[in-house]
Amino acid sequence: MNWDRLTLAFRIPAFRWIWASSLAGAAGFQPFMIGQGWLLWELTASPFMVGLAPALGAASNLILNPFWGLMSDRLDRRKLMIVSQSVMGLAILVLGILVVNDMVQIWHVLILSVIQRMGMSLQRTAGKPFTFSVVGRKAFMNATAAHFLTSQGAGLVGPISAGFIIKSFGTGYLFLILGFIILMGVLALFRVQSVPIKNRATKSFIQDFREALKFVKNDTSLRAILWTVLVTESLGYSTWSMFPVVAVSLLGGDSVTLGLLGTFRGLGGVLGALSVSSFGDIKLKGSILWGGAFLFGLALIAFSFSRDAYLSYALVSCIGIVAVIYDIQANTLLLSLCPEEMRGRIMAIYGIVMTGIGFGSLGMGAVAGWLGVNWAIFGGGSLVTTNALAHMHMAPVVNRQAQKD
């Protein structure tokens, strides 16, 4: 593994602070999703309700993402990152207080989940274009891989830690710890200087967003990438929300089993992020994008048939590897193939597409309640694989564009 390539983005001091903030956010968010799903399962014992919380967050982001993108192309992106991460931490902290004091109700969980998702959406919309401006085009894929390394590294340690904390102390104390960690990460962003936006958007909000939609509509590559993101995220990544059901119903386990599923998924994600980082930059980004999505779907299909905990841990590790490799390429390509002044709006469109995870979670929960969670995961994996095959012909075109640009 080439150390110089692996640490390409870390040679930029400002990126190291951005990465530290990202690490704190990821360390809080990953276990939070485990805790939220477990809390809803304890309160309702309903797969549908487990999927409803991320679905409501997705619905709110579907409405607000255009506004986030326009703000990102007009306002100081660093300050937007500070505000958004603060909102995320405070929402989780409030939920923890409610649970510890035995005051929590289902509607509390759902509302605070929506607020937390809103903060996360704004963080993503402003944060990725800001990172691109800080590190530049050549180091951006490496920086993206480093961000995924934080989230997957947190996924490696966080879920199993969350499982043990839930079992020993309950979900309330877990949320208190996570909220504090996320808020601590805000401090790192105060060490980074803002980067002015060239050709800042100045038209009306509607005109500016229409301009971005028109740009995507006329760009075949961007359309293909965004469609693949929609299918893969909504039918693949939504599987994570079903982990509580898988742990109990298919594997006969408990909160520790749930934590181990998340941990082994994180282990795969770390390996995937490290493999991409070690290249510094990759020329065949399109081929890796659709190839990764294809393997992601196949791994989900295999996972749906497993009833053995150890086999499931191995399979979910494979899922983590290919999912992260695919996702890094998708993020890198979307920002590399559009102009700097439009990156906030492109990430807003990406955020709208990403709401498919929430709606996919709702669909997963509905299908799991009807046919069983194994068939829900099998169906999602099959459609992810089919879509990747259908778009594989776009890979050479995207490869050439990425190298040229």
Side-chain angles (χ1 to χ4, degrees):
M1 186 172 290
N2 189 306
W3 182 254
D4 288 338
R5 293 176 179 175
L6 189 66
T7 59
L8 181 63
F10 285 96
R11 298 173 200 166
I12 302 168
F15 175 73
R16 294 198 291 268
W17 289 110
I18 296 172
W19 184 83
S21 175
S22 174
L23 177 61
F29 174 71
Q30 292 279 353
F32 170 72
M33 294 303 294
I34 297 289
Q36 177 186 264
W38 189 257
L39 177 61
L40 285 169
W41 182 253
E42 284 184 323
L43 293 173
T44 68
S46 167
F48 178 79
M49 291 303 298
V50 172
L52 180 60
L56 290 176
S60 66
N61 287 335
L62 183 64
I63 297 170
L64 292 173
N65 259 312
F67 182 65
W68 298 154
L70 291 163
M71 287 177 63
S72 179
D73 283 341
R74 291 167 180 259
L75 305 178
D76 187 321
R77 288 169 178 163
R78 183 187 68 92
K79 292 180 180 178
L80 291 176
M81 292 171 68
I82 291 172
V83 170
S84 60
Q85 188 155 330
S86 299
V87 168
M88 291 167 59
L90 288 172
I92 296 174
L93 204 61
V94 169
L95 183 57
I97 293 171
L98 290 172
V99 175
V100 166
N101 289 282
D102 201 24
M103 298 169 59
V104 71
Q105 298 185 32
I106 296 172
W107 68 269
H108 292 146
V109 183
L110 298 179
I111 289 177
L112 288 169
S113 174
V114 168
I115 294 173
Q116 187 273 337
R117 290 273 177 156
M118 287 168 56
M120 186 176 67
S121 176
L122 177 56
Q123 177 82 352
R124 179 179 56 240
T125 304
K128 290 180 181 178
F130 182 68
T131 301
F132 195 105
S133 299
V134 168
V135 303
R137 185 181 301 274
K138 291 295 182 181
F140 182 66
M141 191 191 77
N142 182 262
T144 302
H147 279 307
F148 274 91
L149 187 60
T150 63
S151 62
Q152 300 307 314
L156 177 61
V157 178
I160 188 59
S161 301
F164 281 112
I165 292 173
I166 291 171
K167 191 170 185 177
S168 303
F169 305 104
T171 52
Y173 288 100
L174 171 68
F175 294 148
L176 291 177
I177 294 169
L178 301 181
F180 177 76
I181 291 173
I182 292 174
L183 290 174
M184 289 298 294
V186 175
L187 299 178
L189 293 173
F190 285 97
R191 300 298 302 269
V192 183
Q193 291 186 348
S194 299
V195 179
I197 302 172
K198 298 178 182 179
N199 302 317
R200 191 185 300 268
T202 56
K203 301 176 184 176
S204 71
F205 274 23
I206 294 177
Q207 287 177 316
D208 278 333
F209 198 70
R210 281 179 177 173
E211 182 182 26
L213 290 173
K214 184 178 180 181
F215 183 83
V216 172
K217 179 182 177 182
N218 293 332
D219 192 302
T220 306
S221 297
L222 284 178
R223 287 205 317 271
I225 294 168
L226 286 168
W227 178 258
T228 298
V229 168
L230 174 63
V231 173
T232 307
E233 308 285 338
S234 60
L235 299 174
Y237 275 71
S238 58
T239 302
W240 306 168
S241 67
M242 293 293 105
F243 275 10
V245 187
V246 171
V248 175
S249 300
L250 297 186
L251 304 180
D254 55 15
S255 62
V256 175
T257 308
L258 171 62
L260 284 169
L261 284 172
T263 294
F264 277 95
R265 187 199 73 186
L267 174 62
V270 168
L271 295 175
L274 283 172
S275 66
V276 175
S277 292
S278 65
F279 287 97
D281 194 19
I282 295 175
K283 294 182 178 180
L284 303 179
K285 294 182 176 70
S287 299
I288 295 174
L289 170 74
W290 281 291
F294 174 77
L295 293 175
F296 184 13
L298 284 184
L300 284 174
I301 292 171
F303 179 70
S304 72
F305 286 105
S306 174
R307 300 296 180 273
D308 178 80
Y310 294 104
L311 176 60
S312 294
Y313 299 151
L315 288 170
V316 85
S317 295
C318 295
I319 290 171
I321 292 172
V322 293
V324 165
I325 290 173
Y326 141 80
D327 221 344
I328 290 171
Q329 302 312 312
N331 280 265
T332 302
L333 285 167
L334 285 173
L335 288 179
S336 297
L337 301 180
C338 69
E340 193 273 342
E341 66 272 12
M342 201 176 287
R343 287 182 184 134
R345 282 165 285 173
I346 295 299
M347 289 313 299
I349 295 172
Y350 171 74
I352 292 172
V353 171
M354 286 280 288
T355 59
I357 296 178
F359 293 116
S361 298
L362 184 62
M364 280 278 176
V367 174
W370 176 37
L371 297 176
V373 69
N374 57 313
W375 289 111
I377 295 172
F378 174 83
S382 299
L383 290 171
V384 168
T385 301
T386 302
N387 177 75
L389 283 174
H391 286 88
M392 199 70 75
H393 69 280
M394 285 296 301
V397 177
V398 173
N399 291 339
R400 288 193 296 270
Q401 284 184 311
Q403 292 178 45
K404 179 178 64 176
D405 294 335

